[in-house]
Structure formats: structure tokens, C-alpha cells
């Protein structure tokens, strides 16, 4: 559990490093049958920023914790990048794509933690 908490914090720092906004952490650990322990959802304002946020997350997790994602999808068009760290799934969206899929409300039973934007 300690490693997962460190990974979540490092991912948040990676998002903030590139000015990602609207960070929400969904704690799925208390829900039976979930595919991971945490969802982290955030957004960037352009495809270039979405890609930069994903790269920052990957770089920080690798350098600080030696963690690499099992899978990364969505970098081709950078509207929704999903990064699978097994216990933690990260979703980096463009604002309109995030609003459309509304992942925050997909897990209605999960406690949500909103991280204030740095700016």
C-alpha cells in the first residue's frame, strides 16, 4: 500500500510539473472487483500539453520510484492518454473529451479527492 501511495503522489507531481489541471483521485481500493486501486484523472488544454503531461508522469515515476507503465495508449492523437501502472490507472484528457466520458462519476461508490490546481 505504501508503494501505491508513493506512486499516486509522484504521478500528481508529474501532472503538476506540466501545469495539468482538474486532478481527481478516485480511491477504488474498497470496491470489490475493480481493476486497480486508484484512478487519477486530469486534463491538459491542448494535445501537446496532454502529451507533455503523460511524458512528465512517465519520467518522474521512472526516476523517483523505478516504475514504468505496463501500457500507454492514446499518444497518437493525445486527446485521451491512458497509462496503466497496474495498481494505478492514469487518464490525461482534453477538456471536452473528459466531459464526454465523465470518468469521475463512473465509480459512484469511490471516494474522490480533488487536488487544487497550482495556478
Amino acid at each position: 500500500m505504501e508503494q501505491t501511495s508513493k506512486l499516486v503522489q509522484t504521478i500528481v507531481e508529474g501532472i503538476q510539473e506540466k501545469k495539468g489541471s482538474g486532478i481527481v483521485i478516485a480511491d477504488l481500493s474498497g470496491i470489490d472487483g475493480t481493476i486497480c486501486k486508484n484512478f487519477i484523472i486530469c486534463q491538459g488544454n491542448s494535445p501537446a500539453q496532454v502529451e507533455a503531461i503523460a511524458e512528465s508522469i512517465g519520467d518522474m515515476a521512472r526516476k523517483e520510484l523505478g516504475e514504468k507503465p505496463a501500457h500507454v495508449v492514446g499518444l497518437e492523437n493525445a486527446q485521451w492518454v491512458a497509462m496503466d501502472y497496474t495498481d494505478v490507472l492514469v487518464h490525461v484528457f482534453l477538456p471536452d473529451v473528459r466531459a464526454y466520458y465523465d470518468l469521475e462519476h463512473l465509480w459512484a461508490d469511490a471516494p474522490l479527492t480533488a487536488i487544487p490546481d497550482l495556478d
Side-chain angles (χ1 to χ4, degrees):
M1 191 63 169
E2 170 95 16
Q3 185 67 13
T4 300
S5 296
K6 287 180 183 177
L7 180 58
V8 167
Q9 184 57 41
T10 301
I11 289 168
V12 168
E13 291 170 9
I15 294 166
Q16 292 173 329
E17 175 74 20
K18 296 299 179 184
K19 308 290 187 219
S21 61
I23 303 169
V24 174
I25 302 167
D27 180 357
L28 307 178
S29 61
I31 300 173
D32 290 337
T34 59
I35 57 173
C36 63
K37 294 180 182 172
N38 295 97
F39 261 28
I40 301 176
I41 304 161
C42 71
Q43 66 190 41
N45 292 319
S46 68
Q49 187 182 18
V50 167
E51 186 175 341
I53 291 167
E55 288 177 8
S56 177
I57 292 166
D59 289 346
M60 290 188 98
R62 186 177 58 257
K63 288 177 186 172
E64 293 186 21
L65 303 173
E67 294 275 352
K68 293 182 181 178
H71 300 288
V72 177
V73 295
L75 284 172
E76 315 75 51
N77 55 12
Q79 293 184 17
W80 174 4
V81 176
M83 305 175 77
D84 180 358
Y85 283 92
T86 309
D87 284 343
V88 180
L89 288 179
V90 184
H91 302 274
V92 186
F93 288 100
L94 288 176
D96 58 331
V97 179
R98 180 180 185 171
Y100 180 79
Y101 287 101
D102 195 21
L103 290 186
E104 288 91 331
H105 298 101
L106 179 65
W107 300 99
D109 297 342
L112 300 178
T113 303
I115 306 296
D117 293 343
L118 291 182
D119 290 340

